[in-house]
Amino acid sequence: MCDIQILPPGRTFIERICQDLSLAIQRTVASHGCFSLALAGGSTPRAVYLRMAQLCQETPQLCQAVDFFWGDERTVPPDHPDSNYRMAMESWLGPAMISPDRIHRMAGEAKDLAVAAGDYERLIRKHVPGRENGVPTLDLVLLGMGDDGHTASLFPMTEALCVTDRLVVENHVPQLRTHRLTMTYPLINHARQVWFLVSGSSKAMRLREVLSPDPTTAATYPCHFIDPTSGQLKWYLDEAAAECL
Ligand code: 6PG
């Protein structure tokens, strides 16, 4: 079961996501003392991060107990224009003056990506308590959806889609002629909440297929297999992205 929010584009879309995110952080920190958040990369979340930075500046304690992780990272240095870490630092974590102790970067620049993936899995296990069967339970994973129906760096026809025994892997993406680091389904699907943020008409046709009730259609896209075992799945769509639903 998933909750689909369809919102006017632009400010209303961003504001709703930020209000819900702020509320989720406040509630969880009040009851558990901390909040573990995996950030999405790409362009869609940037406007959300910019607004969250403003909210953090208005209410400095809002994100002080949030541990920040990344759902995936490109194989570039942290200061590279393509870095998901750089995008989040510039739009949110830097302006909000988040403590470096709470910022847990994926080492996309590593020479040995398999080692970097294992190191990141150990880091998550260190900072994020597990719920059942020892898999860390992130409080919230933010995800985007690519035009090909990928999410994080779980791309169609790539090996990471089949991983069941690791939480973070190196993934060869031949269609982009690159490698990525990415969280895997076991970790993402153990989260308490998973939110997709999808905006723009370019995503509309693909979104209709990904959310199709026909499993043979939907199952061709990695997004379809984001299905939290006991957590909540929410789609935040703007009206343009939802125009074909
Ligand atoms: C990345 C993201 C990726 C992204 C989608 C959507 O590293 O690029 O993790 O999964 O969320 O490609 O990207 P846009 O928001 O730019 O459309």
Side-chain angles (χ1 to χ4, degrees), residues 51-70:
R51 178 62 181 135
M52 285 304 296
Q54 291 176 338
L55 294 175
C56 288
Q57 287 160 348
E58 292 163 13
T59 313
Q61 68 273 22
L62 175 60
C63 290
Q64 278 176 348
V66 177
D67 278 297
F68 292 88
F69 302 88
W70 276 260

Side-chain angles (χ1 to χ4, degrees), residues 21-37 61-68 102 139 192:
L21 178 53
S22 302
L23 191 57
I25 292 170
Q26 288 166 332
R27 283 179 174 162
T28 302
V29 170
S31 59
H32 293 79
C34 59
F35 189 89
S36 53
L37 172 61
Q61 68 273 22
L62 175 60
C63 290
Q64 278 176 348
V66 177
D67 278 297
F68 292 88
R102 293 270 187 190
D139 288 304
R192 286 195 176 82

Side-chain angles (χ1 to χ4, degrees), residues 1 13 16 24 37 39 47-48 52 87 108 117 141 165 174 209 226 228:
M1 180 63 190
F13 177 70
R16 173 62 179 279
L37 172 61
L39 298 175
V48 171
M52 285 304 296
M87 186 273 281
V141 177
D165 59 349
E209 295 178 300
I226 297 295

